[in-house]
Amino acid sequence: PVVALCLVNVASAFNFQIHAHHIGLRKQSLQQLHASSAPDGVEDEARKLRELASQLRGEVDAFQKEKDEVTAAEQKTRDEIMAAKQETRMKYSTEVPILKGDGQTMMERVDFPPRIKDGKSSIMAVQADLPLGILLGEHEEIPGAISVDEVAAESNGERADVREGDILRACTACQQTMETPTWQLLAGGIGQPKTKRFMFATDGRPFEEVMDAVSSNRMDPEGRAVWLVLERPE
């Protein structure tokens, strides 16, 4: 009975596999029949849709490329404008010592708008020991401008590269003040003299005042070189 039961089970399993195989073959045949019976119009429509989609993608890519090119061109223009502005600023500015409110001196870049027209000049700063050996005068063509009329040979001014025709835009100047600590004020003291050095702008200043500013550098207790800001014609 056990052997008979096992044979029955094996036969049942074998019949099930054969049945499943037949079902799979029928399903595959139906799919092939359906595919072969599909109308040609559907395939043509699908092909047209794929072509249209490809065309649209191409147009989108072309539009994006054009947009990127425009953006890049605009950025390049902005960069060129900024570079030109920076070049102009560097041409008409220089670093000089600036006296701060707390008494300290810091090097800072200062702008000097050109007095010579058409961009045919540049700004520079030099340091020269006293005596400078230069002759200053009022500019013949630019009102309120001080020009270098002469530079003595082998002078400190010549060694500092000061040239005839330069326009003096600024220089260091010294001023003596009285500083009185609080405890001296309370005691009725008169304070102590102190010399401060600062940058003196010469534009529009009377000639005598400019000469006094240059000469005042002799008062510098440290004996430092004189700073001269010059506008040099090209």
Side-chain angles (χ1 to χ4, degrees):
V2 175
V3 175
L5 180 61
C6 290
L7 290 174
V8 171
N9 291 336
V10 170
S12 299
F14 181 75
N15 291 332
F16 176 79
Q17 291 177 354
I18 292 175
H19 180 69
H21 178 68
H22 287 168
I23 292 175
L25 290 175
R26 286 196 297 271
K27 183 177 181 181
Q28 183 178 0
S29 299
L30 289 173
Q31 290 175 346
Q32 291 176 350
L33 179 61
H34 178 73
S36 62
S37 62
D40 294 338
V42 175
E43 288 295 334
D44 291 341
E45 187 67 23
R47 177 178 53 78
K48 292 178 180 179
L49 290 175
R50 288 193 296 269
E51 292 176 354
L52 179 60
S54 178
Q55 180 182 351
L56 291 175
R57 282 195 298 269
E59 293 176 356
V60 170
D61 292 342
F63 174 78
Q64 185 63 45
K65 182 180 179 181
E66 182 179 356
K67 181 180 178 182
D68 293 342
E69 291 175 351
V70 171
T71 301
E74 292 175 348
Q75 184 61 46
K76 182 180 179 181
T77 301
R78 287 193 293 268
D79 292 343
E80 290 175 350
I81 293 174
M82 290 299 296
K85 288 182 178 180
Q86 181 66 16
E87 182 180 357
T88 300
R89 182 169 190 263
M90 295 300 292
K91 185 178 182 180
Y92 294 110
S93 66
T94 188
E95 289 189 353
V96 291
I98 300 298
L99 180 65
K100 298 296 184 179
D102 58 2
Q104 294 185 350
T105 299
M106 303 291 292
M107 294 296 297
E108 291 186 2
R109 179 165 291 277
V110 179
D111 297 318
F112 291 89
R115 300 297 305 275
I116 299 176
K117 296 181 180 179
D118 301 327
K120 297 181 178 180
S121 64
S122 58
I123 295 293
M124 60 182 300
V126 301
Q127 297 181 68
D129 294 325
L130 293 173
L132 297 176
I134 63 176
L135 181 64
L136 299 176
E138 296 180 87
H139 202 282
E140 296 180 356
E141 299 178 0
I142 304 176
I146 305 299
S147 61
V148 177
D149 293 342
E150 187 178 339
V151 180
E154 299 182 0
S155 65
N156 291 328
E158 184 182 58
R159 282 188 282 271
D161 195 31
V162 180
R163 302 179 187 178
E164 182 178 336
D166 288 345
I167 297 178
L168 180 64
R169 301 297 305 276
C171 66
T172 48
C174 292
Q175 184 180 44
Q176 195 172 72
T177 59
M178 299 297 293
E179 291 194 356
T180 305
T182 304
W183 66 270
Q184 285 191 356
L185 287 174
L186 295 176
I190 60 174
Q192 298 293 328
K194 182 178 180 180
T195 301
K196 63 179 182 179
R197 191 177 80 151
F198 55 94
M199 291 302 300
F200 176 85
T202 64
D203 292 348
R205 298 294 183 91
F207 177 73
E208 294 77 10
E209 189 175 337
V210 175
M211 292 300 297
D212 289 342
V214 175
S215 301
S216 70
N217 284 275
R218 297 190 180 94
M219 300 167 52
D220 186 2
E222 300 180 34
R224 291 167 289 185
V226 182
W227 280 84
L228 303 172
V229 177
L230 307 171
E231 182 174 352
R232 176 159 297 168
E234 295 179 352

